[in-house]
Amino acid sequence: MTTNDAITLFYSPQTRATGARILLEELGAPYHLHVLNMKIGEQRLPGYLAINPLGKVPAIRHGDAFVTEQAAVYLYLADLFPEAGLTPAIGDTDRAAYLRWMVFYGNCFEPAVIDRHLQRVPTSANETPYSNYDDMLATLEAALTPGPYLLGERLTAADLLWGTALNWTTMFGLVPERPVFRAYIERMTSRPAYLKVTADDAALAADHQAIADRLGNAA
Ligand SMILES: N[C@@H](CCC(=O)N[C@@H](CS)C(=O)NCC(=O)O)C(=O)O
């Protein structure tokens, strides 16, 4: 499969799919959106469940290939457009840290944040995939120090994942405000691709809400 094969991003505004769209913009990749209105449950209709049985976005179709799960989507897309320079190639020493931070996100950060949100308090470090919340966060903070990016001076697709993730998790109070996180968030959310996609998301989210309200009123 090549970059000539069409890329479709299964998408809902103001979700984890937003970061995947920002990545596509940063890559300069041609893509189109298949938008799901989550306000009316379109992600749980059979057509989409055939693509992702979990009913979650993001997912992509590239030619005949389907990819679900954020980290897999980011890795797949960044590798597809190596000329954008957002993925260290196989054999490049930087690929080690790059892969680590892509996987740390889903294996350690998200479970820790969700446990905290649900007030599930692990009784010991070997009960969780992330040891404990404070050590998990300190590990991330150390990786972002001194910055500006996870790999130091080199911006990668991992930063596009983490920039959006830290933005929403601090916004919801799931991650504490710390100067290192704040500076990183500001850096990542002031990029043109972020601004373009989030402005578009605001309009799309309002449309989705209006549709849900109309259907609710009609019921
Ligand atoms: N493990 C998935 C999680 C994705 C996820 O939680 N997406 C949310 C949006 S932020 C979703 O699709 N929720 C719809 C639902 O659960 O109905 C990934 O990393 O891609």
Side-chain angles (χ1 to χ4, degrees):
M1 229 134 16
T2 70
T3 49
N4 290 330
D5 291 296
I7 298 170
T8 301
L9 173 64
F10 295 88
Y11 193 75
S12 274
Q14 299 176 341
T15 67
R16 289 170 176 82
T18 298
R21 187 176 176 193
I22 293 168
L23 171 65
L24 283 161
E25 292 285 332
E26 293 269 7
L27 291 169
Y31 67 94
H32 51 263
L33 295 180
H34 180 118
V35 176
L36 301 164
N37 186 345
M38 287 193 177
K39 304 276 184 211
I40 57 170
E42 287 182 342
Q43 77 279 22
R44 305 253 160 224
L45 296 177
Y48 187 61
L49 293 179
I51 290 161
N52 186 352
L54 304 186
K56 305 278 182 186
V57 294
I60 54 163
R61 177 171 52 217
H62 172 226
D64 297 332
F66 288 89
V67 187
T68 68
E69 297 302 317
Q70 285 172 99
V73 166
Y74 279 67
L75 288 165
Y76 186 94
L77 290 174
D79 280 347
L80 197 58
F81 296 91
E83 64 283 358
L86 292 176
T87 179
I90 290 174
D92 182 331
T93 309
D94 277 348
R95 193 156 172 99
Y98 173 69
L99 292 177
R100 176 193 182 199
W101 288 108
M102 281 289 191
V103 174
F104 190 97
Y105 175 79
N107 279 11
C108 300
F109 180 79
E110 276 221 6
V113 161
I114 300 295
D115 277 351
R116 177 146 291 210
H117 175 59
L118 298 177
Q119 298 178 336
R120 286 193 298 236
V121 183
T123 51
S124 73
N126 63 11
E127 220 182 38
T128 77
Y130 56 85
S131 193
N132 64 71
Y133 181 90
D134 291 338
D135 287 351
M136 182 284 300
L137 211 58
T139 305
L140 175 64
E141 190 173 8
L144 287 172
T145 309
Y149 304 114
L150 279 164
L151 274 62
E153 291 298 325
R154 184 173 187 178
L155 173 78
T156 68
D159 295 298
L160 300 170
L161 175 65
W162 280 96
T164 47
L166 279 175
N167 189 36
W168 70 262
T169 50
T170 50
M171 200 185 305
F172 293 128
L174 301 171
V175 166
E177 281 288 345
R178 290 186 188 164
V180 168
F181 296 151
R182 179 46 47 203
Y184 182 69
I185 292 166
E186 299 300 333
R187 200 170 295 128
M188 297 309 301
T189 60
S190 57
R191 297 180 65 80
Y194 181 93
L195 297 172
K196 175 182 167 186
V197 171
T198 51
D200 199 46
D201 260 16
L204 199 51
D207 286 352
H208 284 189
Q209 189 59 56
I211 291 168
D213 291 346
R214 255 198 325 273
L215 291 175
N217 289 338

